Amino acid sequence: MDPLHETVKEIRWNVLEGFSKVARLSRDTAASILEHPLARPILPILPPAINNLIQSEPARSVVDEYDAGRVYLAKWAFQMERTSENADDDITENWKRRLSESEFKPWEEETEVGAFEFLEDETKLPPLRATRSDPLNAEKWFSFFDVEGRLKVEKIEVQEAVFRGGIENDIRIEVWKFFLGIYSWDSSQIERDNLYESKAQQYWSFKREWFDSVEVQNTDEFKEQKIRIEKDVIRTDRSMEFFAIEDMPHPDPLSSASSTLTNKNLELMKDILMTYNFYNKDLGYVQGMSDLLAPAFVVMRDEVSTFWAFAGFMDRMKYNFYRDQTGMRHQLLTLDHLIQFMDPPLYKHLQKTDSLNLFFCFRWILIWFKREFKFEEVLHLWEVLWSNYFCTQFHLFVALAILNKHRRVIIENLRQFDEILKYINDLSMTILVDETLLRAETLFHQFKRMVEAIDRKRGITLQDSNDSNQNHDGLRRRKGKEVVDTNSSNDNESSTTSTTSSTSTDKLPIISDLLRELLNPKDNFFD
């Protein structure tokens, strides 16, 4: 790879890393990142839309007031479309019906490839079904356990119940403890009680490492982390009553907080994050983690349970916070492949508008849509994702579902990177969670069916080309490529037939290893 390409690649991910450190993306933020001296040499070869982010100070001062005509028209077009399709029905109920109907396809117009263009017997397949149900309630939850408090049904039954409807608030604490790894699924009630006591002792031990040590608190590293944590915490979910009321004197007179009063829950959240910094010393605290902790604290209420719930959540989310960005790169690249596979016209439009960096999806993935939905809806969405009912990367289908909902507006109205970025950012708090989950499930089913159809088509073609003497054991897969024949022959006739079969399968979409991982029930893509 030539040095220039390497430089561009490195700057691209440095920009992404910068975006990961802010809660809200803006053109002003992008400008501040790209103004770094290391970025200057490559500015001339960056896409024009990104170069346009580097404006003079007077120009940037009016960024917040700027609303491009195309963005305004795109929003208007989407609202008109939504009003039209839901004129007679409540929007949620309408989409529950539409997404459950056999004739529904996420693409509302013809695409260049078509979802099942290559599947000749599509009409013989059962209809795709996506359903939502009522939340898991206490009666149903307790029916899953025997008299000793041990799970008596298959775990998949619990996973499906939570995936389909989420969890009612009165049992959310207990159910989350299972999904976040505080409790083992095969434990009894007595074992769980003993486990909680053990985990409480472990937590206080980790906390004492810094809380009772003046020597540790005087180190530069501790002071830097303390400042970083406090700056994040004091602006996390402050509109919620749980974190809003400042009713106690601030325990630290040197705090950077502007008020001499503080909220007790904010102070406990600082303690939990600092303790996590000592619990996971390899990762420590990284900006953005407070967004993941706050909902767990609101649900759990007590310090010990909140810490272990957060630690369990971070076992899954830690890849998002690696300083080398490997986790985010992997997921954004997988989403890139998924969009290209499922919706080539949208992919080509993003390519044409220099938007394949998927900056506008970065915040979605980093903190799992925390800033895109209302607080209660975030709780619902997270527990659905924790269920792992279909796969461990279902959040990428949620991202795809949001883009799919707005694809027509994006393709027809938005022509530049910054327009798409602004339009997507402005969707925050306007996205309907149940509609999105129904759409995401339908897209998953279509994705799985397409993969199976392509594999079947390739398998049949290769089998025929070898006079039915070649079985699937004679096939191997190359990373990101189509199936190829491992039993090569020097025979001219076989060679000619192989070339013909290869040509016939070249038109089929490529199923990369990243896409195949989406069908893997185990979260092993970083192992």
Side-chain angles (χ1 to χ4, degrees):
M1 185 177 294
D2 62 89
L4 179 61
H5 188 78
E6 274 293 337
T7 302
V8 172
K9 182 179 178 183
E10 188 61 32
I11 291 295
R12 174 183 173 183
W13 287 108
N14 285 341
V15 171
L16 280 178
E17 184 176 10
F19 278 146
S20 75
K21 296 177 180 177
V22 296
R24 289 189 175 276
L25 302 179
S26 69
R27 297 202 302 172
D28 206 24
T29 300
S32 68
I33 296 168
L34 291 171
E35 281 177 337
H36 193 283
L38 292 177
R40 286 294 179 187
I42 66 141
L43 290 181
I45 58 175
L46 285 175
I50 299 181
N51 260 311
N52 289 339
L53 297 176
I54 311 298
Q55 303 289 341
S56 64
E57 194 60 37
R60 285 205 310 273
S61 67
V62 296
V63 160
D64 290 338
E65 299 174 10
Y66 171 76
D67 193 9
R70 278 193 294 269
V71 177
Y72 175 83
L73 290 174
K75 294 177 183 176
W76 178 83
F78 176 72
Q79 289 302 323
M80 290 296 293
E81 186 175 295
R82 168 166 284 180
T83 300
S84 174
E85 71 185 17
N86 298 286
D88 299 323
D89 300 297
D90 172 79
I91 191 166
T92 302
E93 293 304 316
N94 187 32
W95 271 96
K96 282 183 179 179
R97 187 192 75 247
R98 286 189 65 200
L99 285 160
S100 297
E101 292 172 352
S102 60
E103 69 269 19
F104 171 76
K105 291 183 180 180
W107 295 272
E108 296 177 5
E109 68 260 14
E110 292 299 320
T111 66
E112 293 181 13
V113 173
F116 302 102
E117 181 178 296
F118 50 83
L119 187 57
E120 296 174 356
D121 59 345
E122 177 194 349
T123 56
K124 299 178 182 179
L125 294 173
L128 296 171
R129 295 292 182 183
T131 59
R132 304 299 297 159
S133 63
D134 293 332
L136 177 65
N137 58 34
E139 181 180 3
K140 183 69 173 177
W141 169 248
F142 290 119
S143 73
F144 292 148
F145 297 86
D146 61 21
V147 292
E148 293 182 348
R150 203 180 297 274
L151 191 68
K152 64 181 182 181
V153 299
E154 293 295 324
K155 180 183 172 183
I156 191 67
E157 186 174 339
V158 185
Q159 290 174 297
E160 181 175 15
V162 173
F163 176 84
R164 294 290 175 207
I167 305 164
E168 284 194 352
N169 195 52
D170 60 338
I171 58 169
R172 183 169 269 148
I173 295 175
E174 289 304 308
V175 183
W176 277 28
K177 288 177 180 179
F178 283 88
F179 278 107
L180 293 174
I182 298 177
Y183 294 153
S184 169
W185 284 99
D186 59 0
S187 62
S188 67
Q189 184 60 55
I190 293 176
E191 289 169 341
R192 291 194 289 274
D193 291 341
N194 293 334
L195 181 61
Y196 180 84
E197 291 301 320
S198 174
K199 285 189 172 293
Q201 293 176 21
Q202 291 179 58
Y203 173 73
W204 298 122
S205 177
F206 287 124
K207 185 171 182 177
R208 280 194 294 270
E209 285 188 37
W210 65 270
F211 193 81
D212 294 341
S213 176
V214 175
E215 182 179 355
V216 170
Q217 294 179 25
N218 284 332
T219 62
D220 291 339
E221 182 182 0
F222 180 89
K223 291 176 180 178
E224 289 173 5
Q225 281 292 64
K226 182 178 180 182
I227 292 172
R228 189 175 293 116
I229 289 171
E230 180 168 62
K231 285 183 177 179
D232 280 3
V233 167
I234 61 178
R235 59 185 181 217
T236 301
D237 292 320
R238 295 305 303 277
S239 60
M240 296 191 61
E241 184 179 353
F242 191 73
F243 298 117
I245 302 173
E246 297 184 344
D247 54 2
M248 63 175 280
H250 204 292
D252 184 2
L254 300 178
S255 168
S256 59
S258 58
S259 174
T260 57
L261 296 177
T262 187
N263 174 282
K264 64 180 181 180
N265 295 321
L266 291 181
E267 295 307 308
L268 284 176
M269 198 153 73
K270 294 176 191 176
D271 287 358
I272 292 169
L273 290 171
M274 183 59 77
T275 303
Y276 184 79
N277 187 61
F278 283 80
Y279 167 75
N280 188 343
K281 294 179 181 178
D282 290 337
L283 183 62
Y285 176 78
V286 181
Q287 189 171 18
M289 290 182 179
S290 60
D291 269 303
L292 304 182
L293 171 62
F297 195 9
V298 171
V299 170
M300 296 293 170
R301 299 289 166 147
D302 79 272
E303 188 175 352
V304 171
S305 295
T306 299
F307 172 83
W308 289 111
F310 174 70
F313 193 10
M314 284 305 303
D315 283 344
R316 179 169 187 157
M317 299 293 286
K318 60 187 177 184
Y319 310 114
N320 289 11
F321 297 94
Y322 283 173
R323 287 170 175 81
D324 64 2
Q325 292 290 299
T326 53
M328 290 301 297
R329 293 187 199 195
H330 184 102
Q331 293 172 88
L332 286 171
L333 185 57
T334 303
L335 183 57
D336 174 289
H337 287 206
L338 187 59
I339 297 170
Q340 185 176 18
F341 183 78
M342 295 290 285
D343 196 342
L346 175 60
Y347 187 86
K348 288 181 179 179
H349 184 73
L350 295 178
Q351 189 174 45
K352 184 170 63 176
T353 56
D354 297 314
S355 300
L356 282 182
N357 46 52
L358 300 182
F359 284 169
F360 48 86
C361 298
F362 196 82
R363 187 179 71 195
W364 293 357
I365 296 173
L366 180 71
I367 53 176
W368 264 20
F369 308 94
K370 169 67 165 24
R371 298 298 180 95
E372 318 313 317
F373 295 95
K374 297 174 183 177
F375 193 86
E376 281 296 322
E377 292 175 337
V378 169
L379 305 184
H380 175 71
L381 175 63
W382 284 3
E383 56 206 19
V384 167
L385 296 176
W386 290 334
S387 73
N388 294 342
Y389 181 60
F390 286 121
C391 68
T392 57
Q393 297 187 74
F394 194 74
H395 62 287
L396 297 183
F397 287 93
V398 173
L400 181 65
I402 297 172
L403 294 177
N404 177 260
K405 174 66 177 177
H406 296 269
R407 68 180 303 277
R408 186 199 300 270
V409 172
I410 292 171
I411 293 173
E412 294 180 359
N413 297 277
L414 305 178
R415 297 289 179 266
Q416 297 180 23
F417 161 78
D418 59 338
E419 292 174 357
I420 295 176
L421 179 63
K422 179 171 177 55
Y423 180 83
I424 294 296
N425 269 351
D426 288 349
L427 293 178
S428 177
M429 300 299 161
T430 70
I431 309 169
L432 303 175
V433 68
D434 274 331
E435 174 189 321
T436 301
L437 287 170
L438 282 166
R439 186 179 288 266
E441 183 184 350
T442 301
L443 287 165
F444 177 85
H445 289 316
Q446 290 220 9
F447 169 75
K448 183 178 180 183
R449 186 174 285 185
M450 288 170 69
V451 169
E452 291 171 348
I454 292 170
D455 283 348
R456 185 165 58 249
K457 188 79 171 178
R458 284 202 173 106
I460 291 172
T461 302
L462 284 172
Q463 209 167 18
D464 290 344
S465 70
N466 289 283
D467 297 323
S468 301
N469 292 324
Q470 177 68 59
N471 59 34
H472 289 286
D473 293 334
L475 303 178
R476 65 179 175 84
R477 299 193 182 279
R478 293 186 302 178
K479 189 169 185 178
K481 301 294 182 181
E482 69 276 4
V483 180
V484 297
D485 189 0
T486 58
N487 295 334
S488 58
S489 171
N490 292 325
D491 182 76
N492 289 335
E493 183 178 352
S494 296
S495 176
T496 301
T497 309
S498 178
T499 301
T500 303
S501 65
S502 176
T503 301
S504 66
T505 58
D506 281 346
K507 295 181 180 179
L508 297 177
I510 291 175
I511 307 171
S512 67
D513 286 352
L514 292 175
L515 291 177
R516 292 192 183 280
E517 286 173 1
L518 294 174
L519 298 175
N520 194 324
K522 292 186 178 181
D523 187 11
N524 65 350
F525 48 89
F526 288 109
D527 293 344

